[in-house]
Amino acid sequence: MAGSFDRFWISSTKEDVMAFSRRNFLKYAAMSAGGTLLAETPFLSARAREKAEGGNVRYVPTTCEMCFWKCGVIAKVVGGEVVKLEGNPLHPQSRGRLCARGQAGIGLLYDKDRLKVPMIRTGPRGENRYKQASWDEALGYVADKLKGVEDKYGPEAVALFAHGSPGTYFNNVVRGMGSANVAYPSFAQCLGAREVAWELTYGQGPNSTCERVDLANSRVIVLFGTHLGENMHNSQTQEFAEAVGRGAKIISVDPRYSTAASKASMWLPIKPGTDLALLLTWINIIISEGWYDKEYVEKYTTGFEELKKEVKSYTPAWAAQETDLPMRQIVESVRDLGRYAPNVMLHPGRHFSWHGNDVQRGRAMAIVNALLGTWGRPGGIWLPPKVNLAGFSENPEHPKANKDAVVFGDYPFAGGEGLTQVLRETTIKGDPYPIKAWIVAGTNLIKTMPKPDLTRRAIDNLDLLVAVDVMPTDTVMMADVILPEATYLERHDGLFTITTREAGIALRQPAVAPMYQSKPAWWIGSELCKKMGLEQYAVKDTWEGRMRRQAKKWGIGFDELADTGYVAIPGSAAPYITATNQPVFKTPSKKIELVSSELEEEDFDVIPKYEPIEQPKKGEYRLLYGRSPVHTFTRTVNNQWLWELKKENEVWLNKKEADRIGVKNGEIVRLENQDRVVSEPVRVRATERIRRDCVFMIHGFGQHSPAMSRAYNRGADDQKLITRYKVDPICGSTGMRVNFVKIIKEA
């Protein structure tokens, strides 16, 4: 029987939903924040704690997924309910502590709005009319539709968009059919350009979870728009706090006085889009004033003389005009780096899709680090741990795709995660061939990709959209079939290889059984393979069984791992260069390439060159966006615990600009961008902590799905205003900080 979406929204009962007040949340947060006490207490395994406490109590070590940092977490379960989450003191990504989001995983588990049953759309797309289905019916429906698309258009007409662990399991479906069209937003819309920049320079990236930054031992830390303390990457934020407490110099290069900037000895409020001008000038000063590590450069780099010649024209006086920074700050900041090198770093950053020149900006950052000799040095970028675990697979190789994937476009350095916007464009245009089915697992594309109207157009061009998720996001509510995934506290995933200074193995295991009719993504993907006649790609028995076999192959006791949550690999730590621990650079020259041979082969600039970008017109402001320490994109804005801490976003506007246009702090306004797209109402935060030529919003608010009852229509959607983007010609990432807005006062 068909009906509106909420008709099949299984109501929550007192028994299956725990009610938590803000007071309780803060009380638990304070308990966990006292992590030093926990960290200094001798570690007790889960079984030992259960034995000590007695009663109906269980402790379950697992891995958090409230963001993608993969912190170790220990769930306390009483009477079948998770009542507390705390950081695992053995795990190097948490060190006994969790951020607010990590502790609020209980809010996700018991969210009254979470997806509960499989559903099939019965009305026009977007009208929220669905019928409840059994798993057999829903998966059978998906399989029939996918086979129909394959028969009519070929297997390459099926595509996968994913983020996080769920993508692993649906790769087998899509690639097993013979399609290579798989894309993750984490490349084109996040850190892809950064990874490519460092790979071109060093032969490898600085890692993503977590970056190999030796913050605790650094004497000078430079942050280019990196918002430590707001993105709340747990272990990195802990080390940053340690560095600040120890007296490390922090230099924040940011148009906004962020939380990290408030800890800085020097804030450089740079004109947005001119970072490369500053970096090239720094390179010139480092070389011309002799701050570079001559022995290191001679031994480990190539292209120094050409670099020296190329950057001579980038003078401090020129940079001051271009960046709108005082010349004194430009010179003093880089001299601080030189003075304390090599125990310094330019943090590689994370979200890197800014202006369309992002690979070259990342290259310049990597080059500064190389000149100062930071790679493999204390306080710089540590070397990756030495680990050589055998590959593990219980499935045959996927068949070779009949047609080339479209997901790399014409960009020679597009990464293995593909380009989401190219896949979207192909879906709209049908060129070079049609894309007619999307499986979307764990990502809210409408709130992730620039120009969301194109995402909706592409969806309207599909024969099938399948959404696998925990929450009824905007993208989920456009789907033809909705498959409810179990939360991370209800499923097995992994095993995860953790690479900090040492290497280790962690796991995700369920604290409680899946609630309602939700299922783990591994089960959904495996059962869909069976329905598709792809049994060879299904899981043999259970994911736990697979994890046990993998642990056995690696020589790890699975029961010990399940009891502690993390097992270190002995002898893997080798973070610094020594006579017997030399760095390996996987570039063509086997050295750090200050002049890139790979870029030369593709006819790109071998050394970064500065080109001015478009600036806002009079009365306009560049739209900047970022993170809140209590939210992860759109994933957490409906979480009861976190929603109570941050219900909606604001627009940061310079106080002098607010006075000039007659807007008061707290006043409700709208933003109108250059394409006349108007935002939802949003409150003004009039502040001197931002430049006059830009505004700032926290990303992830302005949800349009009524099924997200707390987040629905709260705050303004920054993604809606990102109707333009500039593609990096080297890697295809989408620079999204190229939009301009005006402030419209509410009548």
Side-chain angles (χ1 to χ4, degrees), residues 531-584:
K531 294 281 188 183
M532 294 289 297
L534 300 170
E535 290 86 352
Q536 67 271 33
Y537 300 113
V539 180
K540 277 186 177 181
D541 40 27
T542 65
W543 200 257
E544 180 185 358
R546 185 188 186 280
M547 291 166 67
R548 286 182 175 277
R549 293 186 288 274
Q550 185 175 6
K552 183 177 181 181
K553 183 173 182 177
W554 287 352
I556 295 169
F558 182 84
D559 290 334
E560 176 193 354
L561 178 60
D563 198 25
T564 61
Y566 176 82
V567 174
I569 297 176
S572 61
Y576 308 129
I577 294 173
T578 66
T580 57
N581 186 43
Q582 287 294 296
V584 176

Side-chain angles (χ1 to χ4, degrees), residues 626-732:
R627 301 279 294 277
S628 161
V630 299
H631 283 299
T632 303
F633 320 128
T634 64
R635 294 170 63 90
T636 59
V637 290
N638 202 70
N639 184 299
Q640 178 179 336
W641 287 18
L642 301 175
W643 176 82
E644 289 187 357
L645 296 176
K646 188 71 176 176
K647 293 182 172 68
E648 58 189 38
N649 56 359
E650 306 147 318
V651 57
W652 288 41
L653 176 66
N654 180 272
K655 177 67 165 57
K656 290 180 180 178
E657 284 297 302
D659 291 342
R660 184 183 66 81
I661 63 177
V663 173
K664 296 180 181 179
N665 186 55
E667 186 174 342
I668 294 177
V669 300
R670 293 178 187 262
L671 307 182
E672 180 181 341
N673 78 354
Q674 69 282 330
D675 297 316
R676 298 194 173 182
V677 174
V678 179
S679 76
E680 298 82 4
V682 60
R683 293 186 186 278
V684 169
R685 179 174 182 176
T687 175
E688 295 180 356
R689 292 174 57 186
I690 191 167
R691 285 177 55 97
R692 297 184 69 165
D693 54 2
C694 51
V695 295
F696 170 83
M697 297 169 67
I698 293 172
H699 171 69
F701 289 91
Q703 292 293 303
H704 300 130
S705 167
M708 303 267 279
S709 64
R710 299 184 191 92
Y712 179 54
N713 282 344
R714 297 301 295 260
D717 177 11
D718 63 304
Q719 203 71 32
K720 176 181 181 180
L721 298 169
I722 301 175
T723 55
R724 296 186 185 181
Y725 58 96
K726 190 171 183 181
V727 178
D728 191 300
I730 296 173
C731 74

Side-chain angles (χ1 to χ4, degrees), residues 59-110:
Y59 287 95
V60 184
T62 188
T63 299
C64 186
E65 200 180 47
M66 294 300 285
C67 78
F68 300 99
W69 204 245
K70 292 188 172 72
C71 289
V73 62
I74 299 174
K76 181 177 182 179
V77 183
V78 179
E81 290 184 331
V82 180
V83 299
K84 185 184 178 186
L85 299 173
E86 61 190 37
N88 186 338
L90 281 188
H91 198 296
Q93 305 267 95
S94 54
R95 307 178 183 187
R97 298 170 178 168
L98 292 179
C99 70
R101 293 172 300 174
Q103 293 174 66
I106 300 174
L108 174 66
L109 175 64
Y110 297 115

Side-chain angles (χ1 to χ4, degrees), residues 222-227 251-256 261 266-270 275 278 282 325 333 354:
V222 180
L223 304 174
F224 272 83
T226 297
H227 303 146
I251 299 171
S252 176
V253 184
D254 200 321
R256 184 175 65 94
M266 194 178 295
W267 173 44
L268 280 63
I270 193 168
D275 305 73
L278 177 63
W282 277 3
L325 295 173
S333 55
W354 290 6

Side-chain angles (χ1 to χ4, degrees), residues 150-161:
E150 180 181 24
D151 291 344
K152 187 173 182 179
Y153 302 104
E156 63 277 358
V158 177
L160 170 66
F161 292 86

